[in-house]
Amino acid sequence: MNPRLIPAALVLGLLAAIVVAPLAGLLNLGAMPGYESADLQFWQSAYLRRVLFFSLWQALLSTLCSVLPAILVARAFALQPSFPLRGFLLRLFALPLVVPAVVAVMGVVSVYGSDGWIPFGRSLYGLGGILLAHVFFNLPLAVRLLLPHWQAIPQRHWQLAEQLDMNTWQRWRFLEWPALREGLPGVLLLVFMLCLTSFAVVLTLGGGPRSTTLEVAIYQSLRFDFDPLRAVLLALLQLGLCILVASLSLRLQRLPEVEITVDAPTPTPGPRIRPFHLALILLAAVYVAMPLLSMLLDALAGPLSKVITRAALWQSIANTLFIGLSAALLSVSAGWFLLRYSASLALAGQPGRARLIDLAGSIVYVVPPLVIGTGMFVLLSPYVDVFSWVYPIVIAVNALMGLPFVIRILGPALRQNHARYHLLCQSLALSGWNRFRYLEWPLLRRPLGLAMALVAALAMGDLGVIALFGTPNTATLTLLIYQQLGAYLIPDATVTALLLLLLCLTVFWLLERGLGGRLDA
Amino acid sequence: MLEIEGLEFRYGERGLPGMCFDLEVAAGEVLSLIGPSGSGKSTLLNLIAGFLEPAAGQIRLDGVAIETLPAAQRPVSIVFQQHNLFPHLDLYTNVALGIDPSLRLTPTQVSSITDALERLGLSGLQQRKPGALSGGQRQRVALARALVRRRKILLLDEAFAALGPAQRAEMIGLVKSLVRENDMMALLVSHQPRDALIASARTAFVCEGRIETLQPTAELLEASVLPAVREYLGSA
């Protein structure tokens, strides 16, 4: 028997416990307290129709407003392979990944709020604000996901296009669009899914029942209306939508029509610098940088000493660090054992099963955290005080949310390492701790450090399940910000948001460098 | 007649020695270029095609300078080792792009495509996509496109390197007759000395950014006294 099966099976069992058990709790409607079949008329209510429509509508608009400009910006980056600050701007576009949603919300409020640089007035709270915040996150993400498709165009094709005298339209039609077409549906669906399950942004910027999504409605039902049955029905609907979108994106992934190649990927040859391209890039960069800058300025002018002298702040900083670091450790260990097993499966000629294991790690894409949270709430509340279980639940769900990142960052390096050295290790009888110490740690510490840093930062910035289970004693910084916003203490919330951002970036930097080693090592 | 005179190329970085080429190719000739990798063979082809800009020197075709023309206006077609075809387009379209990238063709042009495909033994495969072809067939499509473009200069940048010996010889034979029939001239970069022997009466040996020697092929390959050539061929 494969010795790697046991830890992997334990992880898979844990995954099942975290995901499947709550789902079972959701489906066991008949056992719900206060259940009456009449409640099922909820399916036909105008409320549900409105929530469902708004969920899909805002997700669709957010997706189009993010991805369509991102195509132009990614194209501008691709066709201008060298200009000053190009690397810096691309790194700026990676930043929103680690910026907590509540921080982005404070930035959006700071720029587009009534005292901001570009005041939006009251319409900020509602669809307008939601779109602004979703584009802040997803435009840079889409740019970074789309850019490699241009880089995959062989340099020979650009040279042929030059020789065949293709104009801009013809280059787009014969070179760029065919390359882009493979990846675009996946990017569109991913962004759609992220916006459909977006919680913190809609919660804080939605501004009322008119603009409520399923994700937020679940929270309101559970936390304010004390109506678990409605929460469960909403969660089931949300789950159904997510499964639909996910299966669509699995089906749409077409096999690319490519020539088998021995070339290393080549940079595209640079045509002349086009002011239009640079203007596009600059515009997008300003859009991404503005909320962060404006928030920074607001926070520095804010009630700094008042905020940092509150005991509640330090309590939530401690909670945030504890949850973030525990989730990162749990997530990276779980990913490590899953990947080690899938790597050995792949080497043993079972790539299909290996892929299945990797996919299991990304289950959270299909089952949104709030759905899991609702399931746990329903499952546990008859037996225990769920509010005293907040740490294990939040840590587990955040670890689960980090797992897809762990698999994407660590997977390729680990598989390559395994394929190269497994036979050598066997012949030297290098195994267990020694194998980790001499082989895996030195070669894999860079991706391990990055994965750890990213999951910690994401977990620290997450306002999701904690909103369901958190109490003032167990609040994280994100929940504290939400409470400050709810009390209309916007200057306090801005200062706290800056502290959260600094904390996330510091922890990210420390973990990435501390574990990953120095760049020149 | 293609004349290359004092054609210089320098890399962006300072300190690297530049390249400088002098060469003449007669109409109807297939001239081979051999030499170690990195010696400048492909650079010379890219300079002729207009993908790279020379620092100095001239390229003349029948007395007319062409080195300042943009790549698209040069009397040149090039065939690479791979990526000559757009994988999502069928053979017919891949060839038609050589005439007009807007694909608006006159009936005469359409029949020239059919003729070219037939001449290269590809009739009946018009609707196929490159992925459904063998390596040799793909290079024939690239040659068909060069043929319909009716440009004087054909550059082959290791175009047949991925093919087996028999197929390579066959393709070279094909190139020779195409060049003769259409009054073209070809420059063939290859890593196989045997290719040069089949293809060319004369072969240039490129080394460290210049044409070290230009000789009758058999003489160069079998009796060269130049140490660089003997080292390259392994006959030292």
Side-chain angles (χ1 to χ4, degrees):
Chain A
M1 194 183 71
N2 188 335
R4 294 175 168 200
L5 175 63
I6 298 168
L10 283 176
V11 171
L12 287 173
L14 193 67
L15 271 181
I18 298 174
V19 177
V20 179
L23 289 185
L26 290 183
L27 289 170
N28 194 8
L29 272 183
M32 294 284 300
Y35 171 81
E36 287 169 37
S37 58
D39 286 340
L40 290 180
Q41 279 174 1
F42 174 68
W43 287 122
Q44 278 132 38
S45 67
Y47 167 80
L48 183 67
R49 266 204 303 278
R50 204 170 57 232
V51 169
L52 181 61
F53 171 78
F54 187 77
S55 299
L56 295 171
W57 179 236
Q58 63 83 22
L60 181 70
L61 283 183
S62 300
T63 306
L64 294 180
C65 293
S66 304
V67 179
L68 296 184
I71 294 175
L72 294 176
V73 176
R75 181 168 186 274
F77 267 114
L79 298 185
Q80 303 288 330
S82 59
F83 61 86
L85 290 182
R86 186 179 188 268
F88 169 77
L89 289 174
L90 274 177
R91 274 200 295 281
L92 173 70
F93 279 28
L95 191 60
L97 188 61
V98 285
V99 171
V102 275
V103 172
V105 165
M106 292 319 301
V108 164
V109 170
S110 162
V111 175
Y112 306 99
S114 46
D115 299 328
W117 296 336
I118 310 172
F120 255 57
R122 288 176 62 88
S123 62
L124 179 66
Y125 294 92
L127 188 58
I130 293 173
L131 287 183
L132 286 169
H134 281 169
V135 172
F136 168 83
F137 282 111
N138 294 308
L139 186 143
L141 175 73
V143 168
R144 290 181 61 92
L145 289 174
L146 291 173
L147 189 54
H149 291 279
W150 268 275
Q151 283 162 347
I153 300 173
Q155 194 190 4
R156 298 303 189 209
H157 283 178
W158 292 106
Q159 291 182 333
L160 276 178
E162 206 179 333
Q163 181 164 88
L164 299 178
D165 203 14
M166 290 188 186
N167 59 29
T168 305
W169 160 245
Q170 287 153 351
R171 282 170 199 234
W172 167 258
R173 175 177 164 201
F174 293 124
L175 272 66
E176 300 171 47
W177 172 243
L180 185 62
R181 190 172 59 186
E182 314 294 340
L184 191 59
V187 174
L188 282 168
L189 284 168
L190 176 69
V191 172
F192 185 84
M193 183 83 113
L194 290 174
C195 296
L196 186 67
T197 56
S198 157
F199 175 70
V201 165
V202 181
L203 181 69
T204 45
L205 286 173
R210 265 198 326 125
S211 21
T212 290
T213 58
L214 282 170
E215 200 82 355
V216 171
I218 294 171
Y219 164 78
Q220 285 163 343
S221 309
L222 220 49
R223 227 24 228 270
F224 290 112
D225 308 334
F226 305 106
D227 188 348
L229 179 66
R230 198 171 82 191
V232 166
L233 293 174
L234 289 166
L236 285 174
L237 187 58
Q238 175 79 327
L239 180 67
L241 280 181
C242 288
I243 291 176
L244 197 71
V245 177
S247 53
L248 209 61
S249 67
L250 275 181
R251 283 192 67 176
L252 271 178
Q253 272 175 0
R254 307 179 0 154
L255 287 175
E257 298 173 53
V258 285
E259 204 175 320
I260 306 302
T261 164
V262 293
D263 264 0
T266 40
T268 56
R272 280 134 232 97
I273 295 278
R274 298 250 198 80
F276 172 66
H277 288 155
L278 293 187
L280 267 174
I281 292 172
L282 207 63
L283 205 65
V286 166
Y287 184 83
V288 172
M290 209 163 42
L292 298 176
L293 268 181
S294 170
M295 191 203 72
L296 178 71
L297 295 178
D298 278 3
L300 291 180
L304 200 61
S305 56
K306 174 184 154 204
V307 172
I308 59 172
T309 48
R310 288 262 172 78
L313 178 85
W314 296 99
Q315 178 66 49
S316 22
I317 287 181
N319 292 340
T320 303
L321 280 172
F322 174 63
I323 287 175
L325 295 176
S326 312
L329 194 63
L330 182 61
S331 190
V332 171
S333 330
W336 173 262
F337 290 120
L338 280 186
L339 284 168
R340 271 169 56 93
Y341 181 54
S342 83
S344 70
L345 281 180
L347 197 66
Q350 295 179 309
R353 286 173 68 180
R355 204 176 122 70
L356 213 60
I357 302 272
D358 290 355
L359 274 181
S362 302
I363 186 84
V364 73
Y365 279 144
V366 186
V367 190
L370 257 273
V371 171
I372 295 175
T374 311
M376 287 189 169
F377 197 100
V378 171
L379 196 70
L380 296 177
S381 57
Y383 311 106
V384 295
D385 172 21
V386 283
F387 297 106
S388 63
W389 278 55
V390 53
Y391 290 127
I393 291 176
V394 172
I395 289 169
V397 171
N398 275 309
L400 189 68
M401 288 166 70
L403 206 47
F405 293 98
V406 176
I407 286 178
R408 276 193 59 178
I409 293 170
L410 195 55
L414 194 140
R415 263 191 294 278
Q416 190 191 44
N417 182 289
H418 186 76
R420 274 189 193 160
Y421 300 116
H422 183 60
L423 293 180
L424 184 64
C425 282
Q426 282 196 319
S427 78
L428 298 175
L430 196 60
S431 65
W433 171 243
N434 283 333
R435 179 167 174 169
F436 181 78
R437 191 164 52 148
Y438 294 120
L439 179 71
E440 286 161 337
W441 172 249
L443 290 177
L444 296 176
R445 60 183 290 188
R446 180 79 45 81
L448 269 172
L450 179 60
M452 197 80 167
L454 187 60
V455 179
L458 290 175
M460 287 167 56
D462 182 51
L463 172 62
V465 178
I466 186 70
L468 282 184
F469 296 100
T471 60
N473 273 335
T474 56
T476 57
L477 277 175
T478 55
L479 193 56
L480 184 66
I481 293 168
Y482 177 56
Q483 287 160 355
Q484 287 166 337
L485 269 180
Y488 296 100
L489 294 168
I490 291 185
D492 298 38
T494 308
V495 172
T496 318
L498 178 66
L499 293 175
L500 172 62
L501 181 61
L502 291 179
L503 194 66
C504 282
L505 293 179
T506 310
V507 167
F508 184 91
W509 186 77
L510 283 177
L511 283 176
E512 197 205 5
R513 285 296 156 84
L515 292 177
R518 289 153 58 107
L519 281 177
D520 51 71
Chain B
M1 162 103 93
L2 171 69
E3 296 159 281
I4 292 167
E5 217 180 278
L7 191 66
E8 283 182 34
F9 176 72
R10 285 189 212 105
Y11 292 105
E13 301 139 75
R14 282 167 183 225
L16 282 170
M19 302 185 171
C20 184
F21 301 101
D22 289 277
L23 188 65
E24 283 182 11
V25 190
E29 180 176 13
V30 176
L31 183 95
S32 288
L33 297 170
I34 63 170
S37 35
S39 60
K41 306 182 297 290
S42 292
T43 306
L44 176 56
L45 295 201
N46 284 337
L47 284 166
I48 299 172
F51 301 142
L52 294 175
E53 230 172 282
Q58 277 205 318
I59 309 171
R60 283 188 302 271
L61 179 68
D62 299 330
V64 182
I66 60 168
E67 76 275 354
T68 52
L69 295 176
Q73 284 167 32
R74 296 195 186 194
V76 175
S77 294
I78 191 163
V79 178
F80 304 110
Q81 180 180 342
Q82 56 183 4
H83 298 306
N84 288 294
L85 307 179
F86 298 109
H88 55 284
L89 302 175
D90 63 19
L91 294 200
Y92 173 85
T93 317
N94 263 297
V95 175
L97 283 175
I99 300 178
D100 181 358
S102 73
L103 298 177
R104 278 190 292 266
L105 304 184
T106 64
T108 333
Q109 288 171 326
V110 171
S111 67
S112 80
I113 295 173
T114 330
D115 292 348
L117 286 170
E118 195 182 317
R119 173 68 184 86
L120 285 147
L122 297 163
S123 13
L125 301 177
Q126 295 201 3
Q127 321 289 315
R128 296 272 184 96
K129 293 203 176 162
L133 300 182
S134 71
Q137 283 173 323
R138 277 184 221 152
Q139 298 309 76
R140 284 168 186 266
V141 179
L143 283 179
R145 185 170 61 209
L147 203 55
V148 299
R149 284 167 57 74
R150 305 191 181 286
R151 310 269 167 128
K152 285 278 179 203
I153 305 166
L154 177 61
L155 305 175
L156 302 161
D157 192 354
E158 299 196 33
F160 310 130
L163 308 180
Q167 259 193 323
R168 276 211 310 275
E170 190 192 333
M171 294 296 282
I172 288 170
L174 199 54
V175 166
K176 282 170 82 173
S177 42
L178 290 178
V179 165
R180 214 178 315 116
E181 287 161 25
N182 297 281
D183 196 28
M184 297 158 74
M185 58 194 74
L187 280 171
L188 175 93
V189 166
S190 172
H191 264 304
Q192 302 287 337
R194 211 176 85 93
D195 289 358
L197 213 50
I198 311 170
S200 317
R202 299 191 305 155
T203 292
F205 179 75
V206 186
C207 189
E208 291 176 357
R210 51 202 76 234
I211 311 259
E212 196 71 29
T213 176
L214 177 59
Q215 285 179 278
T217 307
E219 215 174 279
L220 177 77
L221 294 182
E222 278 145 32
S224 181
V225 290
L226 286 172
V229 178
R230 296 178 66 87
E231 192 184 321
Y232 171 69
L233 293 172
S235 53

